[in-house]
Amino acid sequence: RCNLRCTHCYQEGGPGEELPFRDLLRILAQFKELVGWLGEEAEPFPVKGQINVSGGEPFLRNDFFDLLSTFHAERDWLSFAILTNGTYIDDAIARCLRGLDAVFVQVSMEGGKETNDAIRGSGSYERTVEALRCLIRERVPSSSTITAHRDNFREFPRVVQLGCELGVNKVWADRLIPCGSGSSLGDKTLTPEETRE
C-alpha cells in the first residue's frame, strides 16, 4: 500500500493483498536458513543477511514496528534498511528507528519543491525534508534518493545540495524503469549521454 501516487511508480494499479505477519516470519526463517547455509562455506568470515524493506510505503503496515523489532532481535546475523517516502516519519518514529539500529533509512526526493510535488503529490516535498530532519536529529543513518528521468535529472545537484545542508549520510540516484504505473514514461528514460551528464 502507499499513500502517494508517484507518476513513475513501478507498482501496478492498487495495492495487492498484504502477507500476514506469520508468513513474513516464515520467510525470515527461510532467509536465516539460507544465510546459515552460505555462512558454512564462508569461514572464517561469516555471512550476514541484509533486508531492505520497501513498499509502497512500509510505514502503512500496522505491524511494521513488530517486524522491525523482530529484525532487531536477530541482529547477530541480520541487518536491515528502510526505503520510504518519508511522509510518516516524525520525531517519535525517528526515535524508535534509532533504537532499532537500522543500517539506513532512505527517503525519496525527486528534485526541488515544484518538481518533487509534481511527481509525488502536493505537499510531499516539505514532508520529505521534515522526515530527513527528524532522522538526522535522532542520528539515524539517512539517505535521500532521486529516480532520475528526463523531467528531473538536472535537479540532482539540488538534491545533493539539500542533502549536504541537512547532513544526510548519502545521496543516491536510480534511473527510471518504465513499468507499472510508470509504464507510459518510456520516452522519459535517460539516454547514455544524459546518464553520464
Side-chain angles (χ1 to χ4, degrees):
R1 294 179 292 151
C2 193
N3 57 318
L4 300 182
R5 295 293 176 264
C6 303
T7 57
H8 62 266
C9 185
Y10 59 86
Q11 301 288 342
E12 292 184 18
E17 189 174 328
E18 206 168 75
L19 285 175
F21 192 74
R22 67 180 180 279
D23 289 351
L24 296 179
L25 294 181
R26 256 188 237 119
I27 293 167
L28 182 62
Q30 291 172 11
F31 186 48
K32 185 174 186 176
E33 185 179 334
L34 173 65
V35 168
W37 176 74
L38 292 170
E40 290 173 6
E41 304 297 320
E43 293 301 330
F45 304 104
V47 173
K48 193 168 182 177
Q50 165 74 28
I51 294 177
N52 292 337
V53 186
S54 185
E57 173 48 51
F59 285 97
L60 282 173
R61 190 173 169 102
N62 295 332
D63 54 11
F64 187 51
F65 279 97
D66 295 332
L67 182 63
L68 298 183
S69 295
T70 302
F71 293 166
H72 180 70
E74 300 286 342
R75 64 190 174 278
D76 59 323
W77 69 272
L78 176 69
S79 59
F80 73 92
I82 303 166
L83 285 59
T84 175
N85 62 36
T87 58
Y88 288 91
I89 296 176
D90 57 16
D91 286 322
I93 296 288
R95 204 168 305 120
C96 287
L97 293 173
R98 183 186 65 201
L100 293 169
D101 297 322
V103 175
F104 65 88
V105 177
Q106 176 181 294
V107 181
S108 301
M109 178 175 287
E110 305 305 336
K113 183 180 187 319
E114 186 176 319
T115 300
N116 184 85
D117 285 5
I119 294 169
R120 292 191 163 267
S122 180
S124 61
Y125 179 84
E126 295 300 333
R127 291 186 294 180
T128 298
V129 171
E130 184 55 28
L132 287 167
R133 285 188 177 119
C134 292
L135 292 167
I136 290 157
R137 273 194 297 270
E138 292 298 328
R139 299 178 309 283
V140 176
S142 57
S143 67
S144 57
T145 185
I146 185 172
T147 301
H149 51 76
R150 285 193 174 152
D151 290 343
N152 73 344
F153 81 98
R154 288 188 174 96
E155 293 192 36
F156 185 58
R158 292 177 73 179
V159 174
V160 172
Q161 181 180 359
L162 178 64
C164 290
E165 290 169 4
L166 293 174
V168 301
N169 300 90
K170 185 183 288 186
V171 179
W172 185 261
D174 283 318
R175 287 178 287 162
L176 169 71
I177 300 171
C179 62
S181 297
S183 60
S184 64
L185 300 176
D187 62 332
K188 302 287 185 184
T189 57
L190 300 180
T191 65
E193 291 75 22
E194 288 168 332
T195 301
R196 280 190 289 272
E197 181 186 335

